[in-house]
Amino acid sequence: DRARNHINNYVISFKQFLTEADTDWKSGGDHWGKVGDFEFDVSYVKQAANNLPRVSVHPSEIKYDIVDQPTVDKHAALMKAGDWKWDEEPLLAQKTWVDNKGQQQPISVMDGNHRVAAAVQAGLDEVKIVYVDELLEKIKAEGNKKVVRPAGEFNYRKGDR
């Protein structure tokens, strides 16, 4: 019990530090996804993309970044057991994008990096994605700073929004 209390106090202190320090982490806060030179409020994009068609794609065709391997392991175990519901929360992806050298790149995930990595790890043949290219362009054109901003415009600090 003493060891558990020590660990719990450490986790609480660490979360408090991250929340109050000048970091990109915000407990229970916004989730922004970077696409090209812009960042989008992912919850807004998810809501706006809710009625867009889902497409099946082999996970190896998708570019992704892993942040937390334990999360990938947990998701992969659920996927192997058949307990993952792709239709409830499909991946948000950009069908085409151009890198800083002007080269067209493969499908890039805006939201769902851990899920793609888990699907690859679980050996799945397909994942459900929603292409949000046109939606992101529309959101950028609207210019609402609450849902889109130039990448790196501000840090996530307590009270920024």
Side-chain angles (χ1 to χ4, degrees), residues 45-86:
V45 175
K46 281 182 182 179
Q47 185 178 2
N50 196 36
N51 294 321
L52 294 177
R54 275 86 167 131
V55 179
S56 295
V57 175
H58 194 280
S60 66
E61 297 178 37
I62 304 170
K63 177 188 174 296
Y64 62 91
D65 296 312
I66 302 174
V67 177
D68 183 50
Q69 187 61 44
T71 299
V72 173
D73 295 341
K74 183 175 81 174
H75 291 350
L78 289 169
M79 291 175 189
K80 282 182 184 177
D83 293 334
W84 197 264
K85 295 177 176 47
W86 287 103

Side-chain angles (χ1 to χ4, degrees), residues 8 11 21 27 41 64 79 115 133 149:
N8 287 341
V11 170
S27 177
D41 179 338
Y64 62 91
M79 291 175 189
R115 288 175 276 156
D133 303 64
R149 64 188 182 207

Side-chain angles (χ1 to χ4, degrees), residues 99-139:
D99 66 18
N100 58 6
K101 295 178 183 174
Q103 300 294 315
Q104 188 165 333
Q105 297 297 320
I107 300 166
S108 177
V109 171
M110 173 188 183
D111 180 58
N113 287 295
H114 292 98
R115 288 175 276 156
V116 175
V120 170
Q121 185 173 311
L124 299 186
D125 291 328
E126 69 177 28
V127 295
K128 298 286 186 173
I129 64 173
V130 173
Y131 289 122
V132 293
D133 303 64
E134 291 177 21
L135 177 59
L136 296 180
E137 290 302 318
K138 180 181 174 197
I139 293 170

